[in-house]
Amino acid sequence: MLLIPQLPAKPANLRVRVWRRLQAIGAAPLKNAVHALPARDGTRTLFEDLRAEIIVGGGEALILQARFVQGMTDAELRAVFDAARDADYEELAREALTVAEAEYVAAVEVRRLRKRLDDISSIDFFGAHGRQATDSAIARVEGRVGQHPDVTGPGAPALTFTDLKSRIWTTRRHVHVDRIASAWLIRRFIDPDATFKFVDGKGYVPDPGELRFDMADAEFTHEGERCTFETLVYRTGLDGDHALIALAEIVHDLDIADDKFGRAETAGIAALINGLCAGTDDDGERIAQGSGALDGFYAHFTKRRRI
């Protein structure tokens, strides 16, 4: 099936819009602005929709059903389609491998890459060979989700609530949402007499009796897709508190950045945390200010169960 457009000089952006639509629907360019699609269910509609857009823009377009007699074989035309999709797959595979080498990979990255792969596959009319390598590259990204050299660790040892009292709790400097919320949780629900210590994360050797959180090899840190706040809530048996679960969902989305829970309050808490962090570099002050705000949010969720 062929589309033969005739575009006016103006509007100037019509040519760009038509070119982008042809790319998006997977049309193969032939000679003199002629583009081809395989004659299948749905492809005619793609050309008809584009023709309507061209006419609205002041142009004209013909749609033809045709077959080659000389100059190009069906196999050669198929190779044009396959080459275009292989180029798309190769570009996506390179992007996926770059993501896989990042310091931290959020689940949202996998969804984005999978969405792009689905888009390419939808216009891969003849099954180009490049898909397999792209699948492997994205699988590599999936294997990295939730891993972070600054926070990934073996998880908490067998500790009772008594073991968690009057301890020094150590974490990385420059605290942000997960560490601020975790410090609030520790002092309010786990260890009211907690002392916080801020260190460089990499290569830190703890003193005897310290408990580390949200850092490499910590007793409490990211586990799977859970952020440190979630790990603390579940490891200490606080997951029966619906208000803490609501806060855990918000902290997760802000820290992991995967929009897993999508609570309406998330943007407001993000703005608050970003604002107080912009106002001071002192980690203790960040925790103090953040704790006051989290007390208020906890009271809010205690009185209002999520519907």
Side-chain angles (χ1 to χ4, degrees):
M1 186 171 295
L2 303 179
L3 176 75
I4 306 176
Q6 184 175 354
L7 304 178
K10 295 182 179 180
N13 66 349
L14 179 61
R15 292 181 182 275
V16 176
R17 296 204 314 269
V18 170
W19 179 83
R20 287 176 177 170
R21 286 287 296 130
L22 288 166
Q23 294 288 309
I25 65 177
L30 302 180
K31 294 184 178 180
N32 298 323
V34 178
H35 284 75
L37 281 175
R40 297 181 179 179
D41 293 342
T43 54
R44 176 173 174 173
T45 300
L46 294 174
F47 269 165
E48 287 175 344
D49 290 345
L50 181 53
R51 178 177 181 271
E53 184 176 344
I54 291 170
I55 291 173
V56 170
E60 299 178 0
L62 299 176
I63 299 174
L64 299 84
Q65 283 190 328
R67 65 183 181 87
F68 289 106
V69 177
Q70 289 183 337
M72 178 178 278
T73 65
D74 289 345
E76 288 171 337
L77 179 57
R78 173 175 174 168
V80 173
F81 282 104
D82 285 347
R85 298 296 76 77
D86 278 335
D88 290 339
Y89 285 132
E90 183 179 354
E91 180 182 358
L92 182 59
R94 285 197 302 267
E95 181 181 354
L97 291 174
T98 299
V99 172
E101 296 299 323
E103 186 176 48
Y104 179 78
V105 178
V108 67
E109 290 287 355
V110 175
R111 291 199 295 271
R112 180 181 63 80
L113 293 169
R114 285 288 178 199
K115 172 62 167 59
R116 177 63 182 138
L117 180 60
D118 289 343
D119 290 342
I120 297 171
S121 298
S122 70
I123 56 174
D124 183 9
F125 301 112
F126 300 104
H129 297 301
R131 166 145 193 172
Q132 184 174 356
T134 307
D135 273 325
S136 297
I138 295 177
R140 183 173 173 182
V141 177
E142 288 176 322
R144 286 287 325 284
V145 169
Q147 297 180 4
H148 193 306
D150 285 339
V151 298
T152 302
L159 295 170
T160 67
F161 236 95
T162 303
D163 294 326
L164 304 179
K165 301 299 183 183
S166 300
R167 301 293 288 268
I168 295 174
W169 294 78
T170 303
T171 193
R172 294 174 292 132
R173 293 189 176 97
H174 312 300
V175 297
H176 207 264
V177 59
D178 196 12
R179 280 164 285 160
I180 291 172
S182 294
W184 168 80
L185 181 74
I186 289 165
R187 187 165 277 165
R188 174 152 181 177
F189 294 94
I190 300 171
D191 182 4
D193 298 320
T195 299
F196 294 112
K197 181 178 179 180
F198 309 103
V199 300
D200 292 327
K202 294 182 179 179
Y204 175 73
V205 178
D207 293 330
E210 288 184 14
L211 290 174
R212 295 161 295 174
F213 66 100
D214 203 54
M215 59 188 296
D217 300 320
E219 286 73 26
F220 296 94
T221 188
H222 287 216
E223 294 181 357
E225 292 191 1
R226 288 178 179 171
C227 66
T228 299
F229 186 89
E230 291 174 290
T231 296
L232 281 162
V233 168
Y234 285 95
R235 286 277 188 173
T236 57
L238 294 170
D239 52 306
D241 187 329
H242 74 272
L244 287 181
I245 293 299
L247 285 171
E249 291 176 354
I250 291 169
V251 174
H252 173 101
D253 279 3
L254 293 177
D255 190 56
I256 305 298
D258 61 0
D259 295 324
K260 180 178 180 179
F261 299 104
R263 297 190 67 100
E265 303 88 354
T266 302
I269 293 182
L272 185 149
I273 295 294
N274 288 335
L276 69 87
C277 287
T280 180
D281 291 328
D282 184 274
D283 289 316
E285 184 61 24
R286 287 183 177 185
I287 289 173
Q289 292 183 24
S291 294
L294 288 165
D295 281 336
F297 283 112
Y298 178 75
H300 166 73
F301 287 120
T302 297
K303 294 179 180 178
R304 174 181 172 272
R305 285 184 177 272
R306 185 178 186 182
I307 298 175

